[in-house]
Structures are given as C-alpha cells and as structure tokens.
C-alpha cells in the first residue's frame, strides 16, 4: 500500500494554549483507503487536517505528499486533488445560492468545458451519485434537510474529480438513523470512485463501519494506528 501522506514528528502550537495542538505527530495516511482519525474534542484532530491540507503552517517536523515534501507541491493542483468536507453543511455553502449554483461554482472556476453540455452532464452525474433528485437544483440550502445538504456538499467536493477527501466530522450533526444512511451512501461512493479518505470522528461505531485504518489521537499525539477488522 502506498502512503499519500506521511507525517514525521509534526508539531504545532498556538500561543494562547498551554499544550501543543500537535505534538511530534507520526502518521501514515494511505492511498485509496478510508483512514480514520479518532479522539476527543480538543485533541488536535481538526488542526491536523488543516495542516495536512496546507490551510495552516506547522512549527516543526515534515509532511511528505506521495513521497515529496509538501512545500514543493504546487498548491492549486494540490487543492484540486485533495478536497475537504466540514461538519456543518449549512455553514459550508452560500445560503443565497441555489443547489445548481453551488455545484456549478467549482466547475466554472477551475475547468474549461470541452463541449456545450459538459457541466450539465457532470452535475446530473453527481446528483445521481449522491442520490439526490434533479428537481432539487432550483432549491436553496434552507429547503433541504441536513442529510440532503451534506450529500450536496459531497457532490460539490467530487466535482473536480479529486483523489482524496478529508471529512471533518461530517455526520456528527445528524441523528443516528440519518447518519447511518449517509455513511452507507458515502462508503459506496468512495469504493466506486476509488477515492482515499481521512475521516475525522469521535464516534467509534462510525469509524468501525467506514474505516480501513484507525489512528487514535490524544492531547496532540497519535497513540495508536492499526487496521480495522470490520466487514459488512
């Protein structure tokens, strides 16, 4: 198995905090696998994700991306291939945009269509993939449930055909029945598209269902990483 990211003794401290957010973190995140990162709130999970995506700088250590130093990778190309989903879908989209515009935006900014209907066909395919009816395209985020909108956020993240996704607690705002439905949908999509994932969660059942590998984080350190034995 090839590592997509390898963190070596990565540290990060915020001046106002007594303890480091990341304390000599060593972690391997694999290609085309669902890698879970578990830990209590405040243990450093989200900080690790932001550092991994280049959204924040780290103070010490090294991050390798596919065997190369992160600072040697063109950031625009990196962002296309590595997308992120956050916890609250309603804070992840512009409430004044229709669903159509939410899905069109990354395509318009980052791609040039090769034929007239390319973007329409792409959006139709994305909606089919996340099991959302095309009739939702003219709706606004406030007209969708949390689970429906999280599917739209996933579709938007997939619009540029990334190779890797960071999911930062994407099911924690949902009830357990909706979370279970969404996890099955997401897991099928990741397998179908052969996308690698870093799934951040504090929920053991979620990580056991989704993940191929689980790392446990505590007070800014990785204290354990191992494959899961769950099959469904």
């Amino acid at each position: 198995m090839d590592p997509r990211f390898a963190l070596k003794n990565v540290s990060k401290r915020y001046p106002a905090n007594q303890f480091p957010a990341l304390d000599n973190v060593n972690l391997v995140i694999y290609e085309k696998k669902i890698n879970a990162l578990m830990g209590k709130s405040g243990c450093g999970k989200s900080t690790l994700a932001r550092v991994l995506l280049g959204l924040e700088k780290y103070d010490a250590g090294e991050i390798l991306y596919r065997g190369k130093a992160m600072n040697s990778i063109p950031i625009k190309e990196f962002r296309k291939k590595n997308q992120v989903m956050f916890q609250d879908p309603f804070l992840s989209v512009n409430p004044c945009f229709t669903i159509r515009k939410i899905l069109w935006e990354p395509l318009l900014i980052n791609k040039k269509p090769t034929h007239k209907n390319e973007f329409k066909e792409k959006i139709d395919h994305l909606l089919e993939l996340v099991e959302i009816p095309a009739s939702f395209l003219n709706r606004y985020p406030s007209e969708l449930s949390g689970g429906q909108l999280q599917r739209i956020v996933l579709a938007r993240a997939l619009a540029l055909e990334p190779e890797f996704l960071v999911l930062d607690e994407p099911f924690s705002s949902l009830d357990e029945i909706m979370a279970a439905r969404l996890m099955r949908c997401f897991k099928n999509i990741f397998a179908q598209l052969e996308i690698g994932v870093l799934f951040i969660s504090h929920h053991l059942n979620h990580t056991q269902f989704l993940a191929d590998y689980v790392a446990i984080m505590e007070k800014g350190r990785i204290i354990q990483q191992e494959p899961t034995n769950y099959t469904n």
Side-chain angles (χ1 to χ4, degrees):
M1 288 174 298
D2 296 325
R4 189 172 188 85
F5 297 92
L7 290 78
K8 299 183 178 182
N9 301 312
V10 173
S11 295
K12 167 77 176 178
R13 181 184 287 273
Y14 297 107
N17 292 358
Q18 181 180 0
F19 301 103
L22 302 177
D23 187 5
N24 288 307
V25 169
N26 290 280
L27 180 65
V28 176
I29 299 171
Y30 296 102
E31 295 269 21
K32 299 182 180 181
K33 299 292 182 182
I34 300 180
N35 307 264
L37 181 63
M38 279 195 65
K40 296 178 180 178
S41 296
C43 73
K45 303 187 303 298
S46 293
T47 298
L48 188 151
R50 291 194 296 271
V51 164
L52 197 71
L53 292 168
L55 301 175
E56 289 196 27
K57 295 182 178 180
Y58 50 97
D59 301 326
E62 182 181 29
I63 299 179
L64 298 179
Y65 174 66
R66 309 183 89 175
K68 298 179 180 179
M70 275 283 290
N71 57 16
S72 69
I73 308 299
I75 191 65
K76 186 174 182 180
E77 189 63 26
F78 174 85
R79 293 265 166 84
K80 288 181 183 179
K81 294 182 180 297
N82 301 272
Q83 292 284 309
V84 61
M85 286 182 63
F86 295 106
Q87 177 176 344
D88 189 338
F90 292 98
L91 297 179
S92 300
V93 298
N94 188 326
C96 298
F97 283 8
T98 62
I99 302 307
R100 186 190 310 277
K101 192 169 183 179
I102 288 169
L103 296 177
W104 270 74
E105 188 178 35
L107 297 171
L108 291 171
I109 292 171
N110 292 283
K111 295 191 73 173
K112 293 182 179 180
T114 57
H115 58 86
K116 182 179 178 181
N117 294 320
E118 181 183 0
F119 287 179
K120 180 184 181 300
E121 291 171 3
K122 181 70 174 179
I123 288 173
D124 289 344
H125 172 68
L126 290 169
L127 290 178
E128 183 180 355
L129 196 64
V130 298
E131 301 174 5
I132 289 290
S135 60
F136 278 41
L137 284 172
N138 293 322
R139 297 188 186 185
Y140 289 88
S142 60
E143 299 178 85
L144 274 61
S145 69
Q148 289 168 339
L149 189 57
Q150 199 64 295
R151 291 172 189 252
I152 294 298
V153 173
L154 175 61
R156 183 182 64 180
L158 296 175
L160 299 180
E161 301 178 7
E163 300 170 348
F164 192 86
L165 291 176
V166 174
L167 309 183
D168 193 354
E169 302 270 12
F171 312 117
S172 61
S173 63
L174 307 175
D175 64 63
E176 281 303 302
I177 294 175
M178 181 57 67
R181 289 176 182 168
L182 212 56
M183 280 190 291
R184 292 189 190 97
C185 174
F186 280 30
K187 188 169 185 174
N188 289 337
I189 291 170
F190 300 150
Q192 180 180 337
L193 299 181
E194 296 185 325
I195 288 178
V197 173
L198 176 62
F199 171 53
I200 297 171
S201 180
H202 63 272
H203 200 302
L204 179 61
N205 290 340
H206 293 182
T207 56
Q208 284 181 329
F209 175 75
L210 277 176
D212 302 301
Y213 290 86
V214 177
I216 310 296
M217 197 167 192
E218 186 176 292
K219 294 182 179 178
R221 285 180 171 267
I222 301 295
I223 60 172
Q224 182 181 343
Q225 183 181 19
E226 60 185 18
T228 60
N229 296 314
Y230 182 88
T231 57
N232 63 343

